[in-house]
Amino acid sequence: MLELHGVSRSYTTGDTVTEALRNIHLTIRRGEMVAIMGPSGSGKSTLMNILGCLDRPSQGHYLIAGQGTADASPETLAALRREHFGFVFQRYHLLPKLTALGNVEMPALYAGHAPAVRRARATELLERLGLQAREHHRPPQLSGGQQQRVSLARALVNGGEVILADEPTGALDTASGMQVLELLQALHAEGHTIIIVTHNPDIAAHTQRIIKISDGRIVSDQSTGQHGVPRSLVRNNNATLPRSAWWTVADRFANALHMALLAMAAHRLRTSLTMLGIIIGIASVVSVVAIGQGTQRQVLAQISELGTNTMEIYPGKDFGDPYAALIQTLTVADVHALATQPYVDSATPNVSLDVKARYRQLTAQAQVSGVGADFFRVRGLALADGRWFSNDDVQRAAQVAIIDQKTLSTLFPHRRGDALNAVILLGGLPTKVVGILESKSLGATRNANLTIYIPYTAATTRILGNQSLESVIVRISDRISSKAAQQAVTQFLTRRHGVKDFYIFNADQIRQAITKTSAALAMLITAIAVISLVVGGIGVMNIMLVSVTERTQEIGVRMAVGARPSDVMQQFLIEAVLVCVMGGIAGVALALVLGWMVTPGGSYGLRMVFSLPSMVAAFTCSMLIGLIFGFLPARHASRLDPVDALARE
Ligand code: ADP
Ligand code: MG
């Protein structure tokens, strides 16, 4: 059944080459029980590893049931191990986190048996090996003999046509050793092929054939004369297979998930610290996006109050013209002329002038703005006290004023309560204070001057000498499209001034400008977020590499019982993704809590608007981080050499 033709195996460590096996010719028939003996370091384990497809010959050919293994891929070798071989190691190599039952089931899982089938088979085997009361114990809670019986059950769960036992009794007391030997003999009687490495001549004497090797060569190969004739030949248990591929994949996925959770639970502090990086990254992305959306929505709401049928005209060639302040051609006469145009509903000038403001003994330089009644709404200003002035006030050129907080504290330092309805002098003009602006209104803090608003009619007719304007608000007739009106206004004013020394802003343009600005801001934020997530991802990668190193032996055991490289890869990828996804969920939750704390009070002027797409995106992002940064460690794990991995302590 197993044939070695001229097999050699050499190890290269640095400059030295160790010849562990030299030109071995060996045939083992189905149903034989063979003992391999020899001094330590003679190459017994190397031979077993090659026989069990854990290792490959450096030279020569190895045939299983007549089929060559030279060109087999790691996946095919894993399949051979699953289907034909069962390993029993001197040090048991059970996974300490799984129960006895879990350990025994593992090879069946990789072989693709249904959960119920593999559980039943594992339970049956454990019972047969006298471990029925120990199914739910973990290896550290079992004695050496019991652990070795669990590992024997593991070797048998997929059929175990060929049992490869490398010094199975080496770590056991005599009684337990004899028990294991008896079990192996019973299995042999049932038709299993048994190959056992041992130092103990008593044990070897119970086999049919003793092969002695020394220094990598077979020095003797003798029959002991024992004839344990097999009663029946073991059939491959895989006959009961296969289920649909989809189920098998889902099943293995569920198990990998379970293992990932166990691994994470075993290192809670480490896992949560790694997660923290992702949590902070995701939480900051989600909340910054929410703040951006909140602010944008707020500003856009203010703009939409303007309505699409208003526009503002400013002096200057374009927005940001440095010479705008010197252009004095936009005048009250323009406003009157505009008002007579058929497409204009109303035109309101904004004028501004520096005057001395005075209340009783106190005087201060103030900027007086003459505005229309719409101005405050358009600018989104808010009142702390009093009232706005009305259209009626504007028509009558009423001597009423609305002052800002700075004016309030300058002119009424000790008697803030007196301000409302007090009469102040603005460049000599007595004016009654009817309203006080809220300090935090948008635009109110824009300049450092004291700012006082009066009806523009009062400003132009009662104070102003200079007739040039700061801006003109034009309300367009309902029937006219804003685009047509804007063209008409541009033409009309250009003809009046001779040159185009003004520019027009309408609500749409402002909206566009804001959207553009916030898009640029979003890009910036995204860049920062990506950096923070990359940092988090590197943390994940780092921890996963540590995890792979720590669990190298586990990986070796899994490979020995038939896990494919892809199974190992999947397991570590799932772990990385799980850490990231859990971090992502926690990050989104943290952002929501932040939003909940900030939004209702609005005390920082912040408003957070959470959108489902942004949260879904954050979640997807964290998953991708897991995949990307988990890939390298997972691939590293899947490419480990099974023999090396097993040998690692
Ligand atoms: P045995 O099991 O008979 O004690 P082994 O098969 O483990 O012997 O080892 C045979 C020889 O190969 C020894 O000299 C050992 O030092 C060497 N050897 C085994 N594994 C490795 C390895 N991974 N790298 C280098 N040398 C090794
Ligand atoms: Mg050995």
Side-chain angles (χ1 to χ4, degrees):
M1 184 186 192
L2 311 177
E3 297 168 66
L4 295 176
H5 295 294
V7 163
S8 301
R9 177 69 169 101
S10 52
Y11 297 103
T12 315
T13 0
D15 297 337
T16 53
V17 178
T18 316
E19 295 267 354
L21 291 179
R22 305 165 202 249
N23 195 25
I24 300 273
H25 291 274
L26 180 64
T27 303
I28 290 171
R29 286 180 300 279
R30 199 179 290 270
E32 264 191 311
M33 185 160 180
V34 182
I36 296 175
M37 298 186 77
S40 184
S42 55
K44 306 180 297 292
S45 296
T46 308
L47 179 62
M48 291 292 260
N49 291 337
I50 287 177
L51 285 172
C53 295
L54 273 177
D55 198 5
R56 291 166 190 259
S58 324
Q59 269 169 18
H61 298 287
Y62 175 37
L63 289 86
I64 299 172
Q67 287 202 315
T69 57
D71 307 324
S73 66
E75 299 275 334
T76 315
L77 289 178
L80 285 171
R81 292 197 290 271
R82 271 200 305 279
E83 287 163 18
H84 296 285
F85 299 101
F87 284 94
V88 177
F89 301 99
Q90 179 176 2
R91 300 231 149 258
Y92 331 123
H93 284 330
L94 298 172
L95 299 192
K97 284 195 215 85
L98 294 178
T99 60
L101 202 58
N103 270 291
V104 175
E105 273 184 42
M106 193 170 53
L109 164 76
Y110 291 123
H113 293 280
V117 173
R118 59 174 193 259
R119 174 129 311 192
R121 192 171 294 165
T123 314
E124 187 194 314
L125 280 168
L126 283 172
E127 262 173 41
R128 223 190 109 188
L129 300 189
L131 290 166
Q132 56 273 34
R134 300 281 184 273
E135 288 168 355
H136 300 291
H137 287 53
R138 284 166 217 284
Q141 301 164 327
L142 297 171
S143 74
Q146 286 169 332
Q147 290 190 57
Q148 196 58 299
R149 276 181 281 156
V150 172
S151 89
L152 198 53
R154 181 178 64 186
L156 289 169
V157 76
N158 277 349
E161 246 181 305
V162 181
I163 306 264
L164 298 163
D166 193 347
E167 305 192 34
T169 59
L172 300 179
D173 57 85
T174 322
S176 309
M178 283 320 288
Q179 214 176 4
V180 169
L181 178 68
E182 277 162 25
L183 285 169
L184 287 171
Q185 279 181 305
L187 290 169
H188 172 231
E190 281 171 28
H192 291 268
T193 309
I194 314 268
I195 302 169
I196 175 170
V197 168
T198 183
H199 286 296
N200 187 340
D202 294 340
I203 286 178
H206 286 91
T207 63
Q208 294 176 298
R209 179 178 170 191
I210 299 176
I211 298 168
K212 291 196 170 148
I213 57 177
S214 173
D215 206 14
R217 290 179 215 278
I218 295 181
V219 291
S220 78
D221 185 348
Q222 297 166 325
S223 170
T224 56
Q226 292 242 3
H227 289 288
V229 179
R231 271 176 237 139
S232 64
L233 283 177
V234 182
R235 65 236 165 288
N236 201 325
N237 263 334
N238 297 321
T240 55
L241 279 183
R243 290 173 301 143
S244 82
W246 192 89
W247 252 108
T248 317
V249 169
D251 194 21
R252 257 184 270 146
F253 181 85
N255 266 275
L257 198 66
H258 178 224
M259 282 313 297
L261 286 171
L262 282 180
M264 284 163 68
H267 301 283
R268 278 189 213 95
L269 180 65
R270 193 166 86 184
T271 309
S272 35
L273 284 177
T274 311
M275 233 181 247
L276 199 60
I278 301 289
I279 293 175
I280 292 171
I282 293 285
S284 54
V285 177
V286 171
S287 43
V288 166
V289 167
I291 290 171
Q293 286 185 333
T295 314
Q296 191 179 353
R297 193 172 289 190
Q298 232 168 354
V299 174
L300 288 180
Q302 276 164 3
I303 291 169
S304 70
E305 279 195 359
L306 236 171
T308 48
N309 60 343
T310 54
M311 60 176 84
E312 294 190 45
I313 306 170
Y314 292 88
K317 287 193 169 21
D318 206 345
F319 182 73
D321 182 348
Y323 301 111
L326 302 176
I327 296 172
Q328 305 211 325
T329 47
L330 199 62
T331 60
V332 175
D334 287 332
V335 179
H336 292 315
L338 270 175
T340 62
Q341 296 300 304
Y343 48 85
V344 173
D345 180 72
S346 66
T348 320
N350 292 335
V351 294
S352 136
L353 51 148
D354 278 335
V355 299
K356 261 208 176 64
R358 177 166 174 202
Y359 179 69
R360 298 197 178 162
Q361 273 74 44
L362 293 169
T363 53
Q365 202 64 26
Q367 188 180 45
V368 172
S369 290
V371 296
D374 285 346
F375 176 85
F376 303 100
R377 196 157 53 84
V378 166
R379 279 291 157 81
L381 298 178
L383 271 183
D385 204 359
R387 63 172 179 89
W388 301 120
F389 48 73
S390 61
N391 278 319
D392 191 42
D393 289 329
V394 175
Q395 257 157 33
R396 289 188 295 108
Q399 284 154 255
V400 291
I402 291 171
I403 62 174
D404 70 350
Q405 290 285 334
K406 209 162 247 159
T407 313
L408 179 68
S409 55
T410 312
L411 293 185
F412 304 91
H414 306 299
R415 286 170 297 185
R416 287 166 168 259
D418 292 354
L420 211 59
N421 295 323
V423 174
I424 55 176
L425 292 173
L426 299 177
L429 180 75
T431 314
K432 192 164 113 185
V433 176
V434 294
I436 299 160
L437 286 179
E438 216 176 61
S439 64
K440 270 186 314 197
S441 308
L442 260 171
T445 53
R446 216 171 11 197
N447 53 44
N449 299 336
L450 314 187
T451 309
I452 301 171
Y453 297 100
I454 61 172
Y456 76 90
T457 42
T460 50
T461 59
R462 299 186 197 273
I463 313 178
L464 202 69
N466 179 358
Q467 295 268 300
S468 81
L469 304 177
E470 196 163 86
S471 73
V472 178
I473 298 179
V474 177
R475 193 169 283 276
I476 307 151
S477 303
D478 287 341
R479 304 173 311 278
I480 313 285
S481 83
S482 67
K483 204 169 165 192
Q486 190 170 337
Q487 273 172 357
V489 169
T490 309
Q491 242 169 36
F492 178 77
L493 282 183
T494 311
R495 205 175 319 127
R496 272 180 71 90
H497 293 180
V499 285
K500 185 182 169 298
D501 53 1
F502 59 91
Y503 62 93
I504 298 176
F505 240 9
N506 66 27
D508 255 3
Q509 281 169 319
I510 297 171
R511 190 174 299 139
Q512 273 166 17
I514 287 173
T515 316
K516 221 185 209 165
T517 320
S518 46
L521 204 64
M523 289 285 287
L524 186 74
I525 289 165
T526 311
I528 294 168
V530 164
I531 291 169
S532 76
L533 286 175
V534 164
V535 171
I538 290 171
V540 171
M541 179 149 70
N542 204 358
I543 282 306
M544 289 312 297
L545 283 171
V546 170
S547 179
V548 169
T549 309
E550 265 179 4
R551 285 152 66 193
T552 302
Q553 206 181 45
E554 176 192 326
I555 297 167
V557 171
R558 285 178 183 278
M559 287 177 159
V561 303
R564 304 156 187 79
S566 60
D567 288 323
V568 174
M569 174 126 179
Q570 184 191 39
Q571 189 187 331
F572 283 92
L573 265 188
I574 284 175
E575 198 174 318
V577 170
L578 208 60
V579 169
C580 290
V581 162
M582 283 165 79
I585 291 173
V588 170
L590 181 65
L592 286 175
V593 169
L594 277 178
W596 176 75
M597 277 162 50
V598 161
T599 303
S603 48
Y604 303 101
L606 287 179
R607 244 189 60 188
M608 293 169 87
V609 175
F610 293 96
S611 65
L612 194 63
S614 75
M615 285 190 274
V616 170
F619 184 78
T620 317
C621 201
S622 59
M623 205 151 107
L624 281 177
I625 292 168
L627 277 178
I628 293 167
F629 289 94
F631 178 75
L632 199 78
R635 195 183 58 167
H636 172 62
S638 73
R639 287 187 177 178
L640 283 174
D641 179 60
V643 177
D644 278 352
L646 269 175
R648 208 84 60 86
E649 281 298 327

